[in-house]
Amino acid sequence: MSPIPMTTQVLKTTPADRTSRNASAPRRVPPSPPGSFLMGHAGEMLRDPAQFLLQAHASYGDVVRLRLGPRVALALFHPDHIHHVLVKHRENYTKQARGYKKLRQVIGNGLVTSEGDFWLRQRRLMQPAFAPVRLAGFAAAIVTAAEQVAQSWELAARQGESIDAADEMMRLTMRIVGETLLGTDVTGDANEVGAALSFVLDEVSRRIHTPWDFREKLPLARNRRYKRSIERLNRSVQKIIVEHRAGTAGSGDLLTMMMAARDEETGTQMSDQQLRDEVMTFFLAGHETTAKALTWTFYLLSQHVEVRSRLEREVDAVLAGRSATAADLPKLVYAKQVIQESMRLYPPVWGIARMTAEEDQIGDVTIPAGAPVLLAQYVTHRHRGFWDNPEGFDPDRFLPERSEGRHPYAYFPFGAGPRICIGNHFALIESVLILATITSRWSLNLIPGRPVIPEARVTLRPKHGLFMAPERRSSRTSRSSGV
């Protein structure tokens, strides 16, 4: 999600341009990892796609050919490829890829999945809601919600119990999205809605990487649960819309703005179906991704105590024991770097798919028309050609002097080009304020013996949750000083 002003200019290349370019360039068939006769690489992509693509890049280079059952896809890893697909020739790389078709079953034709003039109209409609002055006004609600979640850990800390940081961050960010963007209190439904959303995302990912669609139509228990989960999400969204229509929900939020807006040409307003699709999109994009970014941040901090100590010193100096405000954001420099580095190693959106409208060529590789193209933040963010010690956790790599000269598309956690996430600034503000608020009170320590396994589904999540022991920083300080 991103409130920066976006250009609406579309850079056009004609079929003749592409034919001329393709005819004059040498061509090669990209290398391909070994795969099964029937499924190709579908099994690896279903089990652990992020690690499989990371290993494929290490073994075969920046362009890798994949076979997913009957389909052939190309995985592209070089930052130049990211620029080519998402920016320079973006009109030729559509959202008709399999992943988006499956995602539309859940969120419909919202801002993430729509294209063309419809997408542009929706984007322009929502852009004012993410203006910097409005984002600053959300800070108090973000901090209050984070403080209340932090307070709720007191009992667990006293009793020596653990918390699931992944679940805690999910409920926290869902509440914040409800209050700030949708003007609605969703805390009462958070557990049920969160469970439904988690299952739906898992099933969408399974359907994306399973080559055979006929299984979706079988009377299987998993298919029935998928249908029930979507119906549960729809009921929650419909309730929010009805409350706004009746005037019983908040005002001044994104949903209220969308309801009041009229098309400049036709004078029509958004239908309930359009509203439903956008609300569902913000449920997903507005809380799931930020929750995962924070979850991985607390995991990394628990593994790198020197980084955590430096972050604590900054938070203590800036906040001096009081609640964070929007005015503190420019001073929380290291906190922002910690979030940025966390999203480099564990990008919540770990991969992006596109589909070519017409044949294209990248370097000496021909991209056929109708070919799926995979871009993987998880891999490009670890590209040894652009990152020193790519597996290391080093927030200082985002200092201006160390960022200077780095390829602008070596890091793209929010996407790139005009389709960059509309709320990326909101997500960063939210993440930094939550991180500072929790860090001022707690150290979260990983529970020994509980495996932390990244699982790349629609988002990148810890497969078994993230169980951590909350420790009051005042208690830790007293012990370390002998008090």
Side-chain angles (χ1 to χ4, degrees):
M1 298 172 52
S2 135
I4 61 174
M6 303 305 303
T7 176
T8 59
Q9 180 183 6
V10 177
L11 302 179
K12 294 291 186 181
T13 57
T14 67
D17 292 334
R18 281 191 286 271
T19 300
S20 174
R21 182 174 69 240
N22 294 350
S24 61
R27 306 183 184 195
R28 69 179 175 92
V29 177
S32 180
S36 74
F37 175 77
L38 183 63
M39 298 286 286
H41 307 101
E44 289 89 343
M45 290 295 289
L46 183 60
R47 284 190 295 271
D48 195 349
Q51 280 298 318
F52 171 67
L53 292 175
L54 187 66
Q55 294 165 6
H57 174 244
S59 299
Y60 298 98
D62 284 327
V63 182
V64 175
R65 184 176 180 270
L66 304 175
R67 188 165 60 83
L68 308 174
R71 307 187 311 277
V72 173
L74 291 174
L76 309 175
F77 304 120
H78 195 284
D80 285 348
H81 303 158
I82 311 307
H83 177 255
H84 182 102
V85 172
L86 298 183
V87 183
K88 188 176 181 181
H89 298 291
R90 60 186 179 269
E91 80 286 352
N92 193 47
Y93 292 86
T94 74
K95 288 201 168 186
Q96 296 307 308
R98 182 178 179 83
Y100 286 105
K101 290 180 179 179
K102 300 301 181 184
L103 196 56
R104 286 187 187 97
Q105 296 175 358
V106 182
I107 63 176
N109 204 31
L111 200 61
V112 168
T113 52
S114 59
E115 296 190 278
D117 291 340
F118 180 82
W119 166 81
L120 185 58
R121 185 184 68 181
Q122 297 294 92
R123 178 88 182 205
R124 286 171 171 167
L125 179 65
M126 296 181 197
Q127 197 73 56
F130 295 95
V133 65
R134 293 183 64 88
L135 296 184
F138 295 149
I142 293 170
V143 171
T144 297
E147 288 177 338
Q148 291 179 1
V149 165
Q151 182 64 32
S152 73
W153 298 342
E154 289 285 357
L155 181 60
R158 286 198 302 269
Q159 296 180 348
E161 297 176 349
S162 65
I163 61 169
D164 182 352
D167 184 62
E168 294 290 308
M169 292 303 103
M170 182 278 294
R171 291 191 293 108
L172 172 58
T173 56
M174 182 180 289
R175 170 183 169 177
I176 290 169
V177 164
E179 291 181 2
T180 59
L181 299 183
L182 304 178
T184 303
D185 182 2
V186 297
T187 53
D189 295 334
N191 289 336
E192 189 177 346
V193 171
L197 183 58
S198 179
F199 178 78
V200 163
L201 292 177
D202 184 64
E203 180 63 12
V204 166
S205 181
R206 191 189 66 81
R207 293 182 176 201
I208 290 171
H209 297 302
T210 301
W212 319 114
D213 290 339
F214 73 90
R215 290 177 57 87
E216 299 174 15
K217 299 177 175 61
L218 299 178
L220 304 175
R222 191 175 185 91
N223 290 339
R224 291 194 296 270
R225 183 181 174 189
Y226 180 65
K227 182 179 178 180
R228 289 196 305 270
S229 296
I230 292 179
E231 289 172 349
R232 179 62 186 90
L233 295 174
N234 283 335
R235 288 198 303 271
S236 182
V237 168
Q238 188 59 35
K239 177 184 175 184
I240 293 172
I241 293 172
V242 168
E243 289 174 348
H244 275 71
R245 293 280 193 214
T248 58
S251 61
D253 54 86
L254 174 65
L255 182 53
T256 301
M257 182 183 301
M258 289 193 295
M259 285 181 167
R262 293 182 178 274
D263 186 90
E264 293 179 356
E265 297 180 0
T266 66
T268 58
Q269 294 180 294
M270 291 178 65
S271 67
D272 277 1
Q273 182 62 46
Q274 289 174 299
L275 290 170
R276 176 264 178 208
D277 292 350
E278 297 300 352
V279 172
M280 191 71 82
T281 296
F282 279 97
F283 255 137
L284 171 63
H287 99 276
E288 171 78 11
T289 51
T290 304
K292 296 302 178 284
L294 287 161
T295 297
W296 289 115
T297 298
F298 288 120
Y299 166 71
L300 288 164
L301 290 172
S302 74
Q303 301 300 292
H304 298 84
V305 293
E306 73 288 350
V307 173
R308 186 169 72 182
S309 295
R310 182 174 165 188
L311 172 65
E312 291 170 349
R313 291 193 298 272
E314 178 185 80
V315 168
D316 292 346
V318 172
L319 300 187
R322 59 173 174 76
S323 297
T325 69
D328 296 316
L329 287 165
K331 305 171 191 173
L332 293 167
V333 176
Y334 195 64
K336 181 180 178 181
Q337 291 173 201
V338 167
I339 295 291
Q340 290 173 308
E341 176 69 343
S342 172
M343 288 195 295
R344 183 187 68 84
L345 284 171
Y346 296 101
V349 178
W350 64 271
I352 295 174
R354 292 290 190 266
M355 178 81 76
T356 52
E358 298 174 4
E359 182 181 296
D360 195 11
Q361 187 155 333
I362 295 181
D364 58 355
V365 173
T366 297
I367 314 292
V373 172
L374 306 179
L375 313 175
Q377 289 97 321
Y378 190 85
V379 179
T380 303
H381 288 185
R382 289 171 162 80
H383 199 302
R384 293 188 177 277
F386 302 92
W387 301 97
D388 296 328
N389 184 24
E391 295 291 341
F393 181 54
D394 179 12
D396 277 341
R397 70 173 84 239
F398 286 94
L399 286 169
E401 56 269 28
R402 288 183 59 183
S403 299
E404 186 177 355
R406 182 181 299 139
H407 196 298
Y409 297 96
Y411 182 72
F412 61 115
F414 297 103
R419 296 300 298 252
I420 193 170
C421 179
I422 193 173
N424 63 354
H425 288 181
F426 177 82
L428 281 173
I429 288 171
E430 179 184 15
S431 298
V432 169
L433 289 174
I434 291 173
L435 179 61
T437 298
I438 292 176
T439 298
S440 69
R441 293 161 172 77
W442 298 102
S443 294
L444 299 182
N445 302 303
L446 195 65
I447 299 295
R450 299 296 293 260
V452 179
I453 302 172
E455 185 177 42
R457 293 302 185 231
V458 175
T459 57
L460 186 68
R461 65 190 186 189
K463 184 174 184 178
H464 304 293
L466 185 67
F467 290 90
M468 310 190 82
E471 180 182 13
R472 268 288 181 186
R473 285 188 51 214
S474 56
S475 301
R476 194 188 74 203
T477 302
S478 296
R479 286 201 306 273
S480 64
S481 61
V483 176

